[in-house]
Amino acid sequence: MNADSGILSIRKTFRQLFSYALIGILTNVLGYAFYLLLTYLWDAPKITMTALYFVGASIGFFANRRYTFRHDGHIGVTGVRYLLAQVAGYLLNLVLLLLFVDWLGFPHQIVQAIAIIVVAIFLFVMSRFFVFAQSAAESEGVPS
């Protein structure tokens, strides 16, 4: 790897991180507002988080595939990887709620707000290096 390709790789990563953050902020601000409204009306934090998680994940797949990672690989393989990453992210979110709300007694509103950030960082890493990672052939421009 020469210096120019290293700089391009860093720029690409920062562009992806910025795009991922922008998409994430838009979807999560709306999702969190719905979370607060629904938990206020029905007082069911884990059920509400579950429903909203999968709505946000679905929107995130198409937005991040197209705009963040500009991925044009096979959608089936990518979709399965994305699903695995999202299930792991969901379980991480659920464990954080169980641990900090149910066991330690923290307010669910604060725990969920922090969990959004923790899960977002986890999912960016998973998306960058697992879900939307290019094969060696794709990165060299060779059709796979």
Side-chain angles (χ1 to χ4, degrees), residues 64-106:
N64 285 311
R65 183 175 187 265
R66 170 94 169 109
Y67 299 108
T68 301
F69 299 102
R70 299 178 182 167
H71 186 267
D72 59 358
H74 192 272
I75 195 166
V77 172
T78 304
V80 170
R81 288 180 178 181
Y82 187 80
L83 182 61
L84 292 172
Q86 290 297 324
V87 167
Y90 169 79
L91 292 174
L92 174 59
N93 199 144
L94 184 61
V95 166
L96 291 172
L97 283 173
L98 288 169
L99 176 64
F100 288 101
V101 176
D102 293 352
W103 295 345
L104 298 176
F106 288 93

Side-chain angles (χ1 to χ4, degrees), residues 3-75:
D4 289 339
S5 65
I7 291 171
L8 290 175
S9 178
I10 291 169
R11 283 186 179 167
K12 178 180 177 182
T13 299
F14 278 117
R15 182 200 56 76
Q16 289 174 338
L17 186 58
F18 178 78
S19 178
Y20 181 84
L22 185 60
I23 290 167
I25 288 169
L26 292 173
T27 58
N28 283 305
V29 165
L30 289 172
Y32 187 64
F34 278 118
Y35 173 83
L36 292 175
L37 175 66
L38 294 174
T39 55
Y40 174 77
L41 295 174
W42 292 294
D43 193 32
K46 288 176 274 314
I47 293 170
T48 302
M49 180 275 294
T50 298
L52 292 174
Y53 189 95
F54 288 103
V55 170
S58 299
I59 293 167
F61 175 74
F62 294 103
N64 285 311
R65 183 175 187 265
R66 170 94 169 109
Y67 299 108
T68 301
F69 299 102
R70 299 178 182 167
H71 186 267
D72 59 358
H74 192 272
I75 195 166

